[in-house]
Amino acid sequence: MEFEPKILGFLCNWCSYAGADLAGVSRIQYPPNLRVIRVMCSGRVDPVFVLDALMKGLDGVLVLGCHLGDCHYIDGNYEAESKYRALEMLLENINLNDRINLDWVSASEGMRFADLVDEFTEKIKSLGPSPISSSTKDLKLLDELQAIKRVFSNSRIRSLIGRERKITLLENTYGETIDFEKFNKILKDALDSEFYRSQIYLSLLKKSASVKDISQEINIDKTLVFKNLLMLRQRGLADVAGVDGLDPIYKAL
Amino acid sequence: MEKESSIMVIGGGIAGIQASLDLANLGFHVDLIEKEPCIGGRMAQLDKTFPTNDCSICILSPKLSDCYRHPNIKLHTLSEVQSVSKKEKCYSVEVKKKARFVKEDACINCGLCIEKCPTKVNDKFDMYLRKRKAIYLYYLQGVPAVMAIDKEHCLYLSNLDKGKDICRQCENVCPKEAIDFSQEDQISTFNPNAIILATGFRQFNPSNIPQYKYAEFRNVITGLEYERLICASGPTNGHLERLSDKKPPKKIAFIQCVGSRDIKNQKYCSSVCCTYSTKEAILANEHDSEIQSFIFYIDIRAAGKGFQKYIERAKQEYQVNYVKGIVSEIKIDENENPILYYENIASSELCTMTVDLVVLASAMIPSDNIEYLAESMGIELDEFNFIKTVPSEPIKTTRKGIFVCGACKEPMDIPSSVTEASAAAAQAAQYASQNKGD
Amino acid sequence: MTELRIGVFVCNCGSNIGSIINCSELADYAKNLPNVVFAEDNLYTCSETGLTKIKNGIKEHNLNRVVVAACTPRTHEPLFRGICNEMGLNPYYFEFVNIREQCSWVHQKEIHKANLKARDLVKMGVARSARLEALEKYQVEVTSSSLVIGGGISGITAALSLAEQGFEVYLVEKKRKLGGMLNDLYRISPNYEDPSEYLQLVKKVEQQPKIILHTNSEIISIEGYIGNFYVTIKGQNKVESVEVGTIIVAVGAQVLKPVDYYNYNGKDIITHQELEKLLKENKINQKNIVMIQCVGSRIEERHYCSNICCMNALKNAIIIKERAPDTNITILYRDINTPGTKNELYYRDVRKNEVIFLRYNVNKPPVIEDGKIRVYNNSLKDDIELDYDLVVLSTPLIPNEDNKALSQMLKVPLEENGFFLEAHVKLRPVDFATDGLFVCGSAKWPVSISEAIAQAKATAAKAAIILCKPRFEVEGSTARVDTEKCVGCEVCIKICPYGAITKDDNDQVLVRNVLCKGCGLCGATCPHQAISINHFTNPQILSQINALVERE
């Protein structure tokens, strides 16, 4: 039987949901794989929702908002874009970025809505079932997703993403703006480091281990593991549990 | 505050809608009179709006449903004012409601009737660029979202007087028994304490300028036709194409002051064309970044908020060129490509330019029933048939208790219409509360 | 906790849904979902029969959640919510599932898959309904008076309109005299009215008992929110606090002094504002007068067109011409901006009146040197030299310097030039994004007197809408802060488009429900996930995702 993906869509009430309704009124046919959750604004979509859906094995997640500049709530879709970009950065690390998509549909674009659903469904079909929902459940990937979800629940990261537009467009607390490229780099570094820490922490939660063991387990360079372990210890999330030969063994707290 | 007063708003475009909403929220009962089957007016026909390129219907439709649902607003669609007379504390207005032949409260807009209806009619809402059926929804997002039967074209109704009883397919297929061929035009009388006129504008027919050959050349179209062509819910689903050969244009000319600032036609300036042509040129380039546009103008008039910057952006980012010059004639080549003959005022040279498509910024003129309406209301029009006002009282007509807003008093853009609509609401409210006691 | 009792009503919508989706099967499917105690399908759920069935369902089965699977919530949610309300069930306990526009109509050729989709959608709706919370609309008391800041034509008009509708108005003017720029004008275009005709309104203001006038006064602080603003006004001798329900900003603008342009000296090279003063004093007798348009506007550092200068220059040219017909007047312009009927006709008349119009190129602007003006002419492809006894510069209206301070007090934005920024350029032209605050006249953008009057009356309507009711009511689906989790980082305060989040006296973050529009930005952003969005809470959304992946 042909693979029928299950795709989750977050649609904003004012434009994209109206666009989807218009596709209906115009009887434009599109694949029946999308399941819609209506939200008032695309800016309501917390990356945690998207990650939750992916972890539960949904094959793809589509987020649709008003076109930039058209937001019913002034600039909520710009915020949606900031969040989405950060999410995409980390999902790229684990090759899942193709399974999410953010785009814009106006209330008059029934056809565009159908086209976007069509394209995205085709794309997901070509990618095949989510590695998490398939019979050979990819547990490693699930761990990585779990780690990413932790990243997006982390207050430092959320605070950085939440301040993006203020920092790049307006000014930071010192009255200066940072250009977009520079901000992106800062964000990417922050996301990556937090991702490592989450992976290390989650791995330690399962089993106390040495730097070398962790490095092998989650496939990260030993110095990076060590560096980030220090940070975890500072935050009181990990500590030395004992020593195995010459190697200290760490545990999660 | 207790208010028993009622106010009539004539015209269900954006100005009339805004005036109605404001008055309703002030506690007045509002009768909103619209001659088409749905409210929305010209703004519903536009694709995007300048200078933000907001999708027009996206920002309009919440207002349409607010209007529809407001407990203080009664919509009267397919309705026109017949006569007005002054009574003691109010006016007496006779309104004719044309038969819809569809029960408004029963129709569920399922569209089965449209599928069955055998008669095709050129669609006015889509500027006659597409066909609709004799039973139809005025436009997809229209409010109220119910069908109407076009009496003139309906096979059954148009053959009734010949004694034939044919078709009635819509009646057979309607699951809600909403079709009612027995409906007749009805005249009702209202007694509003004040009246607001918001009858809007229509587009000057450029066939009156023979050198532009609008009626002959298929690739010479008007601004409103262009809006429908480029709109995602329009006749081409938003694919910009020429009417002659369905090919996408790569080079478009936008001609300003077509019938405006023209001694032979309208002497006045239509106010919004410079900016809306800029918008249309930007949209073309957004559809296809290879499209180049040329805007032929006399003076660039872009004094509204953010308009100059919009024009700068059009030049820099969207390949829009501004040519100061008046096009004297349009011819076509063997592929129906329009050739423009014009004087380039910057270089004082006579030039020609071949383009794929010409869009005429046709003048805004008063709606066709305005003379009748003005006469029945006893208000004065200006020399162009716009409703007369003076600068110190921009909202008052020449008759007490009758106010005016939007493009029926002078060509103006959406923000000005909306502003005047609210102003008219304030003024009508003031008038109604002051005249309550006397 | 009371037991959940969910009722599901599946609409066939005639054959619209029914011909694709097997609605009775769908209702049977719904019966087996958790907490569902009743499910049925009907022909038209929105018909009187359908609505009665919902009512009976609620009564007979003691339902405390209602799910309708039918068309779209965008058109029909208010109807069904109303029915719940009528039956004593909180309207927010209603959940809508769209199986027409987003299912039966768009999958007409894939009937089996459409049915599977409809099941998923109903399952998600049922799961969500189980987590719905009862909400109430919020109300605030409204102080039935308004503050108008600025006593020019806009402020006066707004104040009078509100007063005549019966509301008390505090009108605050910085200067000693009301009337603003009208005091500087000689005549008004295009009808040559004497400004004193408009200044009659000042008398009306002074006699209007509902208007409390504060001249020579400044606003020094504004606190509060819609219905309840606390404003401190500093007069010459005293400081006074007033409480108002709405605020109208009508502070106007000022004329740019062209110190860096065309050797401006205030003597023989002056602005139109200065010319008007000379006209008033009847001191104009120069033979050759040259007017230059777009001085300091429509250029790199100031992009905008100031809207009113062309008409003003034309009017002054005609006044001079009529007094001394042999005066040579030349207007150097780029584009003549006289939109509409009255203005364009006026321009036509001026053209007939022996006023010379010469167009100049912005890249080769006129030069004043050795008592002559040189201007490049496109047709001649050469410079033209003009004699002058007086040069009059059309300079734009620019924002007041104190706009920034006022905008900070009001917590509203300015646009890039420093004019006040409205909520929506198209459809909310006189509102600020923050409820209860409005703007009109040249504070927002340069406008003519006529436009200012229309805008001022528009703000009066908007303010009156709020003031005419004792309470202001908003939807219950707003944000709320979990004070246990909140650390006071203020990210939400900065991100809220409506300024609805603030800190109270104890430094605790709180949402002003009346200002919140429920968009949910703050909830998705809060670093500590301390904000939940009523009616779109995390548990509600996650329950929908969960339902979708659950295996049967």
Side-chain angles (χ1 to χ4, degrees), chain A residues 3-6 53-60 99 128-139 141-142 145, chain C residues 549 551:
Chain A
F3 160 54
E4 283 298 341
K6 255 191 193 181
L54 291 175
M55 284 174 66
K56 285 177 178 146
L58 285 173
D59 300 301
R99 291 188 182 272
S130 158
I132 285 163
S133 69
S134 54
S135 46
T136 56
K137 201 167 178 170
D138 187 338
L139 292 173
L141 190 68
L142 194 59
L145 270 173
Chain C
V549 291
R551 291 182 199 282

Side-chain angles (χ1 to χ4, degrees), chain C residues 476-531:
Chain C
S477 44
T478 56
R480 64 165 186 259
V481 179
D482 180 343
T483 47
E484 293 290 305
K485 285 187 186 165
C486 175
V487 300
C489 70
E490 301 191 2
V491 171
C492 53
I493 296 181
K494 297 196 179 91
I495 216 164
C496 176
Y498 303 99
I501 312 180
T502 130
K503 278 190 170 175
D504 67 10
D505 297 341
N506 303 319
D507 225 24
Q508 175 59 54
V509 173
L510 71 102
V511 177
R512 292 229 186 277
N513 291 316
V514 280
L515 296 181
C516 177
K517 310 276 181 213
C519 66
L521 274 190
C522 53
T525 306
C526 175
H528 295 271
Q529 300 180 46
I531 300 181

Side-chain angles (χ1 to χ4, degrees), chain A residues 86 89-90 93 147-148 150-152 154-161 167 182-199 224 227-228 231 235:
Chain A
M89 277 179 189
L90 271 193
N93 289 354
I148 293 178
R150 264 186 69 84
V151 174
F152 281 93
N154 178 289
S155 59
R156 276 162 265 247
I157 294 295
R158 289 175 72 89
S159 168
L160 188 60
I161 299 169
I167 296 172
K182 203 167 150 196
F183 178 85
N184 250 358
K185 201 178 163 317
I186 295 171
L187 179 64
K188 172 86 175 117
D189 287 348
L191 285 169
D192 282 343
S193 314
E194 203 52 48
F195 182 39
Y196 297 144
R197 284 167 212 153
S198 292
Q199 280 182 289
L224 264 179
K227 215 174 85 188
N228 285 301
M231 185 58 85
R235 289 193 200 159

Side-chain angles (χ1 to χ4, degrees), chain B residues 127-417:
Chain B
M127 301 311 291
Y128 308 105
L129 296 172
R130 144 157 84 182
K131 304 256 187 209
R132 59 159 169 83
K133 295 295 183 64
I135 185 163
Y136 66 111
L137 181 64
Y138 186 53
Y139 61 100
L140 286 173
Q141 302 89 343
V143 166
V146 291
M147 303 293 161
I149 294 177
D150 171 349
K151 185 179 176 184
E152 221 181 302
H153 295 96
C154 167
L155 218 48
Y156 170 71
L157 288 170
S158 61
N159 281 295
L160 251 192
D161 48 358
K162 294 171 199 149
K164 291 187 201 160
D165 181 5
I166 49 174
C167 191
R168 302 181 83 145
Q169 295 212 43
C170 48
E171 202 176 21
N172 295 332
V173 75
C174 178
K176 295 285 290 175
E177 294 174 10
I179 309 291
D180 180 2
F181 284 119
S182 71
Q183 279 186 9
E184 282 174 7
D185 295 357
Q186 280 178 339
I187 308 258
S188 332
T189 306
F190 298 86
N191 294 309
N193 298 74
I195 301 173
I196 293 177
L197 286 164
T199 55
F201 70 98
R202 72 198 152 103
Q203 195 179 249
F204 167 76
N205 182 353
S207 311
N208 295 325
I209 304 178
Q211 58 272 35
Y212 287 168
K213 311 276 191 341
Y214 166 72
E216 275 169 66
F217 299 162
R218 284 184 288 179
N219 295 331
V220 177
I221 63 174
T222 66
L224 269 178
E225 286 168 346
Y226 182 90
E227 293 285 343
R228 293 316 299 153
L229 275 186
I230 204 157
C231 180
S233 45
T236 56
N237 293 319
H239 296 294
L240 182 56
E241 56 192 39
R242 313 206 304 175
L243 297 180
S244 68
D245 52 12
K246 309 249 171 271
K247 277 193 189 144
K250 294 287 173 195
K251 194 173 177 186
I252 309 178
F254 292 87
I255 303 181
Q256 302 309 288
C257 303
V258 176
S260 353
R261 303 188 70 190
D262 174 350
I263 319 173
K264 287 189 201 134
N265 293 292
Q266 326 299 331
K267 279 191 275 182
Y268 57 83
C269 162
S270 290
S271 294
V272 297
C273 322
C274 289
T275 350
Y276 87 60
S277 297
T278 299
K279 172 199 73 184
E280 289 176 349
I282 289 176
L283 294 180
N285 189 264
E286 275 183 351
H287 276 230
D288 173 356
S289 60
E290 282 176 21
I291 295 182
Q292 267 192 305
S293 296
F294 295 84
I295 296 184
F296 293 87
Y297 72 98
I298 305 174
D299 291 288
I300 286 291
R301 291 183 175 170
K305 200 168 189 170
F307 292 3
Q308 282 291 333
K309 212 177 134 202
Y310 191 56
I311 285 175
E312 291 307 315
R313 268 183 61 211
K315 287 182 195 167
Q316 281 151 21
E317 294 169 36
Y318 296 99
Q319 301 202 54
V320 183
N321 305 283
Y322 291 81
V323 184
K324 190 174 169 81
I326 300 175
V327 176
S328 56
E329 194 178 3
I330 302 176
K331 293 182 178 172
I332 45 168
D333 68 11
E334 65 282 7
N335 297 318
E336 289 197 42
N337 297 319
I339 309 166
L340 311 182
Y341 293 78
Y342 65 100
E343 186 198 347
N344 185 331
I345 293 176
S347 62
S348 302
E349 283 165 345
L350 293 174
C351 310
T352 61
M353 182 189 286
T354 305
V355 296
D356 301 321
L357 181 67
V358 173
V359 181
L360 304 175
S362 222
M364 286 165 86
I365 57 175
S367 52
D368 42 16
N369 59 348
I370 192 97
E371 278 179 287
Y372 177 75
L373 199 60
E375 201 185 323
S376 60
M377 299 204 136
I379 56 168
E380 285 176 44
L381 299 176
D382 68 13
E383 58 182 294
F384 313 110
N385 279 350
F386 287 109
I387 293 164
K388 193 168 175 180
T389 58
V390 293
S392 55
E393 289 288 3
I395 306 302
K396 283 189 180 165
T397 66
T398 49
R399 190 162 181 192
K400 259 177 101 179
I402 302 183
F403 305 97
V404 59
C405 58
C408 59
K409 52 162 279 205
E410 184 168 5
M412 68 176 68
D413 60 11
I414 296 169
S416 306
S417 302

Side-chain angles (χ1 to χ4, degrees), chain A residues 117-176:
Chain A
V117 175
D118 208 4
E119 274 165 37
F120 191 63
T121 310
E122 279 311 306
K123 186 168 160 192
I124 299 296
K125 277 187 178 169
S126 72
L127 289 172
S130 158
I132 285 163
S133 69
S134 54
S135 46
T136 56
K137 201 167 178 170
D138 187 338
L139 292 173
K140 185 167 171 292
L141 190 68
L142 194 59
D143 284 347
E144 285 167 337
L145 270 173
Q146 177 76 40
I148 293 178
K149 197 172 162 190
R150 264 186 69 84
V151 174
F152 281 93
S153 307
N154 178 289
S155 59
R156 276 162 265 247
I157 294 295
R158 289 175 72 89
S159 168
L160 188 60
I161 299 169
R163 289 195 166 109
E164 169 180 334
R165 295 189 63 239
K166 282 278 175 288
I167 296 172
T168 55
L169 290 177
L170 303 165
E171 49 194 37
N172 64 12
T173 28
Y174 305 106
E176 53 199 8

